[in-house]
Amino acid sequence: MAATVRLLPAVTLALLSRFPAAVSLRRDVLELGDSDFEYLSAEHETMLVKFYAPWCGHCKKLAPEFDKAAIRLRGTVQLAKVDCTAHSETCARFGVSGYPTLKIFRYGRDSAPYDGPRTADGIHHYMMKQTGPDSVHLKTGEDVETFTNSYDASIVGVFSGTDSSRLAEFMKAAGLLREQFRFAHTTDLKLGEEYGVSSESVLLFRPPRLSSMFEDSVVIFRDYLTIGSLRRFIRDHLYGLCPHMTLENRDRLRVRDLLTAYYDLDYHHNPRGSSYWRNRVMKVASKYSGRGLTFSVANKKDFLSELEDDFGLGTSDGGELPFVTIRTKLGHKFTMREEFTRDGQSLQRFLDNYFAGRLKRYVKSEPIPERNNGAVKVVVAESFDDIVNNPDKDVLIQFYSPSCPHCKKLEPVYRELADTMVSDLNLVIAKMNAVDNDVPLGYDVQGYPTIYFAPVGKKDEPIRYEGSQELKDFLKFLKREASRSVAFSGSKDEL
């Protein structure tokens, strides 16, 4: 009998190896396909599905984060994936045209696109908001206190009864915005009295960890309630004077000019120390409200690579003291080089200089080449305006990465193009290392190589090159887009 028992695991493993579908069902991330997607997805109340291609670089980058999130969401939200190179029918049915594409399904029905973060923490946080009701019904004062004692902000509607028209509109808003915010409601007006309201209204509770003497912890919305007006109210008041910027909310915060103080911020393990420096920032920030600059604090460990790449700040900069940057919505960057003082005076001097226009922008740039006589002109961030934005020249500019194999393959073709056009004094063929130089605003560089054409008279409207990487197609493009007739040094047979 003992021998039989010892054999069971081996027999089970052998059977499972013959039925890979059974193995996939035991994993935290289900592997679905054309034959089983419909009936397996229908078994789950909420499912996040990743449609991917094995060769896709972004998919490979997402894979470990997706797997970690699946483990954390085990038993709450099911995660699944579909290989679109092997199961094209399913991917076509849901309109998948790029990889990776993430979608939220509810009992097998395509509910909404996933547009949240792509880190394990971000996916977990986002999908937890997809579970349960759109808005939690709070019945007692203790319920309100428990719900609002959260790491995130809370939106609580106070209504006179279940038949309230405002409650109906609030629920619609909660259904649309639940992936971004936490919603709850009560139909007992008395529960609002503690927070200064006696009629129907909406309360925005900022996270308790961010409570401060410089602003109210609860903000009251009393205007006419519509989905649009509530969305605007949340947008304008959610973050307050100085929010905690994270990898998940940074894009929403950076739609405005933003100052950020980076330090060892950790509200889980060191709430007192985290609040200490934030209060110093808020004290100064309160003097500059209404001047178009928003403020935030962040954990420098979360942004080390960004600070090094975008601002030239190393891990030793600032030590235990915060270091401060400003990033405008136009992409202009500034750093506070003076040491952060506890009385806030250095920060105030930095802000006075910023608003007076006395600060020099930080630009990440390689040195300007001493010699630049090649047919392909080398551009760096410091020389971009002089070469690419030269008002008298049409410029074809290639953004590349030194390690990119596609860029290396293009190099001889691009050089031949430059040689062919060398006699045209109105046209410049150029390239810029986009890894070691800041890419100017207006140029969307997400992969390499990326090529743009900046014509005379339209430097603020560069044209993206979408053709093949063959000489004849480059020549046709230039002949079509150039502001003047092009002059060729070589044969025109390619045209």
Side-chain angles (χ1 to χ4, degrees):
M1 182 66 179
T4 303
V5 171
R6 284 195 297 270
L7 284 172
L8 280 176
V11 172
T12 303
L13 183 61
L15 288 172
L16 289 175
S17 67
R18 295 187 62 186
F19 299 97
V23 176
S24 70
L25 290 176
R26 297 170 63 86
R27 296 173 181 167
D28 293 304
V29 179
L30 298 184
E31 297 179 20
L32 304 180
D34 292 340
S35 62
D36 56 11
F37 185 95
E38 189 170 352
Y39 76 85
L40 285 179
S41 63
E43 295 178 356
H44 299 276
E45 178 182 353
T46 305
M47 174 184 280
L48 177 63
V49 180
K50 174 182 69 174
F51 298 91
Y52 74 101
W55 48 260
C56 163
H58 293 296
C59 302
K60 294 176 182 177
K61 183 179 179 180
L62 173 63
E65 299 295 320
F66 198 75
D67 292 343
K68 291 175 190 174
I71 294 172
R72 295 181 60 182
L73 289 165
R74 183 186 297 156
T76 305
V77 176
Q78 180 64 56
L79 268 60
K81 61 183 179 180
V82 177
D83 179 353
C84 290
T85 63
H87 305 283
S88 57
E89 182 182 327
T90 298
C91 297
R93 178 152 53 106
F94 295 111
V96 176
S97 57
Y99 309 117
T101 293
L102 279 70
K103 289 178 174 286
I104 299 170
F105 288 78
R106 300 188 190 280
Y107 292 116
R109 298 184 64 182
D110 185 356
S111 173
Y114 174 90
D115 57 2
R118 299 203 172 186
T119 62
D121 286 343
I123 294 171
H124 172 262
H125 188 72
Y126 188 100
M127 291 308 299
M128 284 301 294
K129 292 182 178 180
Q130 297 293 325
T131 62
D134 296 335
S135 176
V136 179
H137 189 188
L138 308 177
K139 299 180 180 179
T140 66
E142 186 178 353
D143 289 345
V144 176
E145 186 175 339
T146 300
F147 182 80
T148 57
N149 186 25
S150 171
Y151 196 77
D152 297 308
S154 306
I155 317 299
V156 179
V158 181
F159 303 101
S160 58
T162 56
D163 58 348
S164 168
S165 60
R166 290 187 175 184
L167 173 58
E169 192 71 9
F170 180 85
M171 295 301 290
K172 290 179 185 177
L176 290 172
L177 303 175
R178 61 173 291 166
E179 73 275 7
Q180 300 176 49
F181 313 112
R182 304 175 70 249
F183 287 92
H185 64 278
T186 179
T187 53
D188 184 352
L189 287 177
K190 291 182 179 179
L191 296 186
E193 293 177 357
E194 182 178 343
Y195 307 99
V197 299
S198 56
S199 59
E200 292 192 330
S201 54
V202 178
L203 306 175
L204 188 155
F205 292 80
R206 295 193 174 114
R209 75 182 193 283
L210 300 182
S211 62
S212 168
M213 61 181 289
F214 297 102
E215 62 184 351
D216 295 329
S217 297
V218 182
V219 188
I220 304 171
F221 175 73
R222 291 190 174 96
D223 294 344
Y224 182 72
L225 179 59
T226 65
I227 295 174
S229 64
L230 182 58
R231 188 199 299 265
R232 286 190 295 273
F233 167 75
I234 296 172
R235 180 197 62 198
D236 293 342
H237 296 90
L238 177 72
Y239 294 117
L241 183 60
C242 185
H244 173 194
M245 185 176 76
T246 65
L247 294 172
E248 280 68 47
N249 67 18
R250 62 179 171 183
D251 290 338
R252 292 196 293 273
L253 289 173
R254 286 175 177 169
V255 297
R256 302 176 181 178
D257 298 346
L258 180 68
L259 178 147
T260 305
Y262 298 88
Y263 57 95
D264 292 327
L265 182 152
D266 187 343
Y267 281 106
H268 290 294
H269 300 101
N270 186 18
R272 185 175 179 180
S274 298
S275 296
Y276 177 86
W277 289 115
R278 178 172 177 266
N279 286 335
R280 289 332 176 249
V281 174
M282 293 183 76
K283 182 178 180 180
V284 176
S286 62
K287 301 176 183 179
Y288 295 86
S289 60
R291 299 188 64 175
L293 183 67
T294 55
F295 295 79
S296 67
V297 293
N299 185 347
K300 66 180 180 181
K301 293 179 182 178
D302 291 340
F303 293 91
L304 280 180
S305 61
E306 179 180 299
L307 288 168
E308 184 175 342
D309 292 343
D310 291 354
F311 290 94
L313 293 167
T315 56
S316 60
D317 286 305
E320 295 182 357
L321 300 175
F323 45 80
V324 178
T325 70
I326 292 176
R327 185 195 297 265
T328 73
K329 59 187 176 184
L330 294 178
H332 299 162
K333 299 179 293 184
F334 305 88
T335 61
M336 189 176 90
R337 292 300 179 179
E338 185 180 356
E339 187 177 86
F340 195 110
T341 55
R342 296 176 188 273
D343 60 6
Q345 291 299 308
S346 61
L347 179 59
Q348 189 163 329
R349 283 190 293 271
F350 176 65
L351 286 167
D352 287 341
N353 288 328
Y354 169 75
F355 285 113
R358 292 191 290 263
L359 295 182
K360 182 181 178 181
R361 280 195 287 149
Y362 174 79
V363 178
K364 182 176 71 171
S365 177
E366 294 177 299
I368 296 177
E370 293 183 7
R371 300 181 62 186
N372 201 7
N373 300 325
V376 178
K377 302 303 178 186
V378 176
V379 176
V380 298
E382 291 282 6
S383 65
F384 194 93
D385 278 344
D386 292 337
I387 298 177
V388 181
N389 289 336
N390 184 331
D392 300 320
K393 304 281 188 180
D394 288 337
V395 181
L396 187 72
I397 175 74
Q398 176 202 163
F399 298 94
Y400 72 95
S401 164
S403 62
C404 163
H406 298 292
C407 304
K408 293 175 182 177
K409 183 179 179 181
L410 172 63
E411 189 172 348
V413 177
Y414 203 69
R415 191 184 308 116
E416 185 179 1
L417 172 65
D419 290 336
T420 303
M421 308 303 301
V422 72
S423 63
D424 191 331
L425 301 181
N426 300 313
L427 178 67
V428 175
I429 307 298
K431 66 177 182 179
M432 186 173 93
N433 175 354
V435 176
D436 297 320
N437 294 276
D438 277 343
V439 176
L441 192 72
Y443 292 85
D444 182 22
V445 179
Q446 300 294 330
Y448 306 111
T450 296
I451 301 172
Y452 276 92
F453 183 68
V456 170
K458 296 183 179 179
K459 295 296 182 178
D460 57 346
E461 300 176 14
I463 303 166
R464 190 183 185 104
Y465 176 75
E466 303 283 6
S468 74
Q469 295 181 7
E470 295 185 16
L471 178 61
K472 62 179 182 180
D473 289 316
F474 279 118
L475 293 172
K476 288 179 181 178
F477 174 81
L478 291 174
K479 183 179 180 181
R480 183 178 69 248
E481 300 294 345
S483 61
R484 305 178 183 92
S485 297
V486 293
F488 301 95
S489 298
S491 170
K492 297 183 182 181
D493 292 344
E494 293 92 342
L495 294 175

Coordinates of all heavy atoms in Angstrom, one line a residue, residues 204-236:
L204 N -15.1 64.1 0.2 CA -13.9 63.6 -0.3 C -12.9 63.5 0.9 O -12.6 64.5 1.5 CB -13.2 64.4 -1.4 CG -12.0 63.8 -2.1 CD1 -11.9 64.4 -3.5 CD2 -10.7 64.1 -1.3
F205 N -12.6 62.3 1.3 CA -11.7 62.1 2.5 C -10.3 61.8 1.9 O -10.1 60.8 1.2 CB -12.1 60.8 3.3 CG -13.4 61.0 4.1 CD1 -14.7 60.9 3.4 CD2 -13.4 61.3 5.4 CE1 -15.9 61.0 4.1 CE2 -14.6 61.5 6.1 CZ -15.8 61.3 5.5
R206 N -9.4 62.7 2.3 CA -8.0 62.5 1.9 C -7.4 61.4 2.8 O -7.9 61.2 3.9 CB -7.2 63.7 2.0 CG -7.6 64.8 1.0 CD -6.7 66.0 0.9 NE -7.1 66.9 -0.2 CZ -7.5 68.1 0.0 NH1 -7.5 68.6 1.2 NH2 -7.8 68.9 -1.1
P207 N -6.4 60.6 2.3 CA -5.8 59.5 3.1 C -5.4 60.0 4.5 O -4.7 61.1 4.6 CB -4.7 59.1 2.2 CG -5.0 59.5 0.9 CD -5.7 60.8 1.0
P208 N -5.7 59.3 5.5 CA -5.3 59.7 6.9 C -3.8 60.0 7.0 O -3.4 60.9 7.8 CB -5.7 58.6 7.8 CG -6.9 58.0 7.0 CD -6.5 58.1 5.6
R209 N -3.0 59.2 6.3 CA -1.5 59.4 6.4 C -1.1 60.7 5.9 O 0.1 61.2 6.2 CB -0.8 58.2 5.7 CG -0.8 58.4 4.2 CD -0.1 57.2 3.5 NE 0.2 57.5 2.1 CZ -0.7 57.4 1.1 NH1 -2.0 57.1 1.4 NH2 -0.3 57.7 -0.1
L210 N -1.9 61.4 5.1 CA -1.5 62.7 4.5 C -2.2 63.8 5.2 O -2.2 65.0 4.7 CB -1.9 62.7 3.0 CG -1.2 61.6 2.1 CD1 -1.6 61.8 0.7 CD2 0.4 61.7 2.3
S211 N -2.8 63.6 6.4 CA -3.4 64.7 7.1 C -2.4 65.7 7.5 O -1.3 65.4 7.9 CB -4.2 64.1 8.3 OG -3.3 63.5 9.2
S212 N -2.8 67.0 7.5 CA -1.8 68.0 7.8 C -2.5 69.3 8.2 O -3.7 69.5 7.9 CB -1.0 68.4 6.5 OG -0.3 69.6 6.6
M213 N -1.8 70.1 9.0 CA -2.4 71.4 9.5 C -2.5 72.4 8.4 O -3.2 73.4 8.5 CB -1.5 71.9 10.6 CG -0.1 72.3 10.1 SD 1.0 72.9 11.4 CE 0.3 74.6 11.6
F214 N -2.0 72.1 7.2 CA -2.0 73.1 6.1 C -3.2 72.9 5.2 O -3.4 73.8 4.3 CB -0.7 72.9 5.3 CG 0.5 73.3 6.0 CD1 1.4 72.2 6.5 CD2 0.9 74.6 6.3 CE1 2.5 72.5 7.2 CE2 2.0 74.8 7.1 CZ 2.8 73.8 7.5
E215 N -4.0 71.9 5.4 CA -5.2 71.8 4.5 C -6.2 70.9 5.2 O -5.9 70.1 6.2 CB -4.9 71.2 3.2 CG -4.3 69.8 3.2 CD -3.8 69.2 1.9 OE1 -4.1 69.9 0.9 OE2 -3.2 68.2 1.8
D216 N -7.5 71.0 4.8 CA -8.6 70.1 5.4 C -8.4 68.7 4.9 O -8.0 68.4 3.8 CB -9.9 70.7 4.9 CG -10.2 72.1 5.4 OD1 -9.7 72.4 6.5 OD2 -10.9 72.8 4.7
S217 N -8.8 67.8 5.8 CA -8.7 66.4 5.5 C -10.0 65.9 4.8 O -9.9 64.9 4.1 CB -8.5 65.5 6.8 OG -7.3 65.8 7.4
V218 N -11.0 66.7 4.9 CA -12.3 66.3 4.3 C -12.7 67.6 3.5 O -12.8 68.7 4.0 CB -13.4 66.0 5.3 CG1 -14.7 65.6 4.5 CG2 -12.9 64.8 6.2
V219 N -13.1 67.3 2.2 CA -13.5 68.4 1.3 C -15.0 68.1 0.9 O -15.3 66.9 0.6 CB -12.7 68.5 0.0 CG1 -13.0 69.8 -0.8 CG2 -11.2 68.6 0.4
I220 N -15.8 69.1 0.9 CA -17.3 68.9 0.7 C -17.7 69.4 -0.7 O -17.4 70.5 -1.1 CB -18.1 69.6 1.8 CG1 -17.7 69.1 3.2 CG2 -19.6 69.3 1.6 CD1 -18.3 70.0 4.3
F221 N -18.4 68.5 -1.4 CA -19.0 68.9 -2.7 C -20.5 69.1 -2.5 O -21.2 68.2 -2.2 CB -18.7 67.7 -3.7 CG -19.3 67.9 -5.0 CD1 -18.8 68.8 -5.9 CD2 -20.5 67.2 -5.4 CE1 -19.4 69.0 -7.2 CE2 -21.0 67.3 -6.7 CZ -20.5 68.3 -7.5
R222 N -20.9 70.4 -2.8 CA -22.3 70.7 -2.6 C -23.0 71.1 -3.9 O -24.1 71.5 -3.9 CB -22.4 71.8 -1.6 CG -22.1 71.4 -0.2 CD -22.5 72.5 0.8 NE -22.3 72.1 2.2 CZ -21.3 72.4 2.9 NH1 -20.3 73.1 2.4 NH2 -21.2 72.0 4.2
D223 N -22.2 71.1 -5.0 CA -22.8 71.6 -6.3 C -23.8 70.6 -6.9 O -24.0 69.5 -6.3 CB -21.7 71.9 -7.3 CG -20.7 73.0 -6.9 OD1 -21.2 73.8 -6.0 OD2 -19.6 73.1 -7.4
Y224 N -24.4 71.0 -8.0 CA -25.3 70.1 -8.7 C -24.6 68.9 -9.1 O -23.5 69.0 -9.8 CB -26.0 70.8 -9.9 CG -27.0 70.0 -10.6 CD1 -28.2 69.7 -10.0 CD2 -26.7 69.5 -11.8 CE1 -29.2 69.0 -10.7 CE2 -27.6 68.7 -12.5 CZ -28.9 68.5 -11.9 OH -29.8 67.7 -12.6
L225 N -25.1 67.7 -8.8 CA -24.3 66.5 -9.0 C -24.6 65.9 -10.4 O -25.7 65.5 -10.7 CB -24.7 65.5 -7.9 CG -24.0 64.1 -8.0 CD1 -22.5 64.2 -7.9 CD2 -24.5 63.2 -6.8
T226 N -23.6 65.8 -11.2 CA -23.6 65.1 -12.4 C -22.3 64.3 -12.5 O -21.4 64.5 -11.7 CB -23.7 66.0 -13.7 OG1 -22.4 66.8 -13.7 CG2 -24.9 66.9 -13.6
I227 N -22.2 63.4 -13.4 CA -21.0 62.6 -13.5 C -19.8 63.5 -13.8 O -18.7 63.4 -13.2 CB -21.1 61.5 -14.7 CG1 -22.2 60.5 -14.3 CG2 -19.8 60.9 -14.9 CD1 -22.5 59.5 -15.4
G228 N -20.0 64.5 -14.7 CA -19.0 65.4 -15.1 C -18.5 66.3 -13.9 O -17.4 66.5 -13.7
S229 N -19.5 66.9 -13.2 CA -19.2 67.8 -12.1 C -18.5 67.0 -11.0 O -17.5 67.6 -10.3 CB -20.4 68.5 -11.6 OG -21.3 67.6 -11.0
L230 N -18.9 65.8 -10.7 CA -18.2 65.0 -9.7 C -16.8 64.6 -10.1 O -15.9 64.7 -9.3 CB -19.0 63.8 -9.4 CG -18.5 62.9 -8.2 CD1 -18.4 63.7 -6.9 CD2 -19.3 61.6 -8.0
R231 N -16.6 64.3 -11.4 CA -15.3 64.0 -11.9 C -14.3 65.2 -11.7 O -13.2 65.0 -11.3 CB -15.4 63.6 -13.3 CG -14.0 63.0 -13.9 CD -14.0 63.1 -15.4 NE -15.1 62.3 -16.0 CZ -15.0 61.0 -16.4 NH1 -13.8 60.4 -16.3 NH2 -16.0 60.4 -16.9
R232 N -14.8 66.4 -12.0 CA -14.0 67.6 -11.9 C -13.7 67.9 -10.5 O -12.5 68.3 -10.1 CB -14.7 68.8 -12.6 CG -14.8 68.7 -14.1 CD -15.3 70.1 -14.7 NE -16.7 70.3 -14.3 CZ -17.7 69.9 -15.0 NH1 -17.5 69.1 -16.1 NH2 -18.9 70.1 -14.7
F233 N -14.7 67.7 -9.6 CA -14.4 67.9 -8.2 C -13.3 67.0 -7.6 O -12.4 67.5 -6.9 CB -15.7 67.7 -7.4 CG -15.5 67.6 -5.9 CD1 -15.3 68.8 -5.1 CD2 -15.6 66.4 -5.3 CE1 -15.1 68.7 -3.8 CE2 -15.5 66.3 -3.9 CZ -15.2 67.4 -3.1
I234 N -13.4 65.7 -8.0 CA -12.4 64.8 -7.5 C -11.0 65.2 -8.1 O -10.0 65.2 -7.4 CB -12.8 63.3 -7.9 CG1 -14.1 62.9 -7.2 CG2 -11.7 62.4 -7.6 CD1 -14.7 61.6 -7.7
R235 N -11.0 65.5 -9.4 CA -9.7 65.8 -10.0 C -9.1 67.0 -9.4 O -7.9 67.1 -9.1 CB -10.0 66.1 -11.5 CG -8.8 66.5 -12.3 CD -9.2 67.2 -13.6 NE -9.9 68.4 -13.4 CZ -10.6 69.1 -14.3 NH1 -10.8 68.5 -15.4 NH2 -11.3 70.2 -14.0
D236 N -9.9 68.0 -9.0 CA -9.3 69.3 -8.5 C -9.0 69.2 -7.0 O -8.2 70.0 -6.5 CB -10.4 70.4 -8.7 CG -10.6 70.8 -10.1 OD1 -9.7 70.4 -11.0 OD2 -11.6 71.4 -10.4

